[in-house]
């Protein structure tokens, strides 16, 4: 996977405008964009910035930087047109993982939209064959690299952990079984492209794949593929399985 150029704000905004307008028309798209900018301005106030430190306990325990509080304004604004950065809560991640009755040593864990790398660190506490994260924004990827270098835990069981900066649409899925983690990282068109890419990979190399979809706003994209069977779900996440 080649490293992408630093995503431009105007390019992201044009792409989002075009996609939203094609589905919802001019008026709804205008309201949507106004809402995005208002939300960005509101969350930039000192009070809202302090509130983003509310999930900092994990960072204090492990001497890393994965909260959303220290994300720069440019990455936060870009997030409104891609997917806003928000780290996964450790307790919820443990709950999701508890649903997997697998031999972790046979699986590669992939986090699409890995941000600052918190999920990669938590996944490393399981004996996966390897752990891989893909993040589009170079600033977040750089922090993830620093976190991977700094992380030390007695509970770590996977030591082949890698973060790459790249476009999710260019992922070349490994041929081994996969646990794919998605914290709603892509707009509709991006998720459709990602799942179509995974489907092509499965047709070439049939194998077991689990998709862990946190905040499954676009769950229908996976449900539209007959090969993906939903095996667990709450209002916070859905788990799909295919192959095997």
């Amino acid at each position: 996977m080649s490293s992408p150029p630093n995503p431009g704000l105007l390019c992201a905004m044009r792409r989002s405008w075009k996609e939203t307008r094609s589905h919802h028309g001019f008026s709804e798209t205008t309201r949507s964009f106004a809402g995005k900018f208002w939300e960005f301005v509101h969350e930039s106030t000192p009070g809202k910035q302090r509130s983003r430190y509310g999930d900092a306990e994990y960072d204090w325990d492990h001497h890393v930087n994965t909260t959303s509080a220290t994300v720069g304004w440019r990455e936060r604004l870009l997030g409104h047109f891609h997917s806003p950065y928000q780290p996964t809560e450790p307790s919820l991640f443990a709950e999701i993982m508890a649903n997997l009755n697998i031999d972790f040593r046979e699986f590669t864990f992939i986090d699409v939209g890995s941000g600052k790398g918190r999920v990669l660190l938590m996944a490393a506490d399981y004996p996966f064959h390897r752990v891989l994260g893909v993040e589009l924004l170079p600033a977040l990827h750089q922090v993830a690299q620093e976190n991977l270098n700094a992380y030390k835990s007695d509970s770590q069981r996977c030591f082949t952990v890698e973060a790459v900066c790249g476009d999710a649409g260019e992922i070349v899925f490994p041929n081994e079984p996969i646990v794919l983690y998605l914290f709603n990282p892509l707009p509709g068109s991006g998720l459709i492209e990602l799942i179509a890419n995974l489907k092509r990979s499965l047709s070439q190399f049939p194998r077991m794949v689990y998709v862990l979809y946190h905040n499954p706003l676009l769950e229908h994209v996976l449900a539209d593929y007959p090969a993906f069977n939903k095996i667990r779900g709450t209002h916070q996440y859905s788990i799909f399985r295919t192959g095997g």
Side-chain angles (χ1 to χ4, degrees):
M1 181 187 301
S2 59
S3 298
N6 204 343
L9 278 172
L10 291 178
C11 181
M13 291 168 63
R14 282 195 298 267
R15 186 183 304 113
S16 179
W17 175 274
K18 182 178 180 180
E19 180 175 345
T20 305
R21 185 176 179 181
S22 68
H23 289 90
H24 302 289
F26 178 84
S27 297
E28 181 62 31
T29 301
T30 302
R31 285 193 291 270
S32 174
F33 267 56
K36 291 178 189 293
F37 280 108
W38 168 250
E39 185 178 354
F40 171 74
V41 172
H42 179 61
E43 71 179 16
S44 298
T45 61
K48 293 296 289 183
Q49 183 176 14
R50 285 193 296 272
S51 72
R52 294 199 298 274
Y53 279 103
D55 64 349
E57 184 175 348
Y58 180 87
D59 288 11
W60 294 336
D61 289 343
H62 298 285
H63 306 290
V64 292
N65 166 24
T66 66
T67 73
S68 58
T70 56
V71 175
W73 72 267
R74 184 179 182 279
E75 283 68 37
R76 288 192 295 108
L77 184 53
L78 271 168
H80 284 286
F81 299 99
H82 288 285
S83 177
Y85 175 70
Q86 183 178 353
T88 296
E89 296 178 6
S91 60
L92 182 59
F93 184 77
E95 178 183 333
I96 295 172
M97 295 296 289
N99 289 286
L100 298 182
N101 184 20
I102 61 174
D103 184 347
F104 291 97
R105 296 169 298 179
E106 297 179 356
F107 284 77
T108 290
F109 181 97
I110 302 176
D111 179 16
V112 174
S114 50
K116 293 183 175 184
R118 179 186 288 187
V119 163
L120 305 182
L121 302 179
M122 294 191 294
D125 286 348
Y126 298 82
F128 284 107
H129 173 63
R130 60 176 171 144
V131 172
L132 172 66
V134 181
E135 172 55 46
L136 178 67
L137 301 181
L140 298 183
H141 168 69
Q142 179 59 40
V143 178
Q145 294 280 38
E146 294 168 0
N147 286 330
L148 292 179
N149 291 333
Y151 183 71
K152 291 180 176 60
S153 173
D154 292 338
S155 61
Q156 186 172 356
R157 301 179 67 188
C158 175
F159 295 90
T160 306
V161 185
E162 180 184 6
V164 299
C165 188
D167 188 333
E170 298 180 0
I171 291 177
V172 178
F173 288 103
N175 297 338
E176 61 259 29
I178 296 169
V179 173
L180 178 64
Y181 187 83
L182 309 172
F183 188 171
N184 198 38
L186 299 165
S189 60
L191 184 60
I192 290 171
E193 182 181 1
L194 177 73
I195 298 303
N197 183 10
L198 177 57
K199 185 181 177 183
R200 286 191 296 270
S201 178
L202 286 169
S203 67
Q204 295 174 345
F205 302 99
R207 60 206 186 277
M208 185 71 73
V209 172
Y210 287 84
V211 180
L212 314 181
Y213 191 0
H214 181 187
N215 191 26
L217 297 178
L218 300 172
E219 180 180 306
H220 65 275
V221 173
L222 279 81
D224 286 345
Y225 286 93
F228 290 88
N229 301 308
K230 184 175 178 180
I231 60 171
R232 296 285 189 279
T234 71
H235 68 284
Q236 292 181 293
Y237 64 86
S238 295
I239 301 177
F240 289 83
R241 181 178 62 197
T242 185

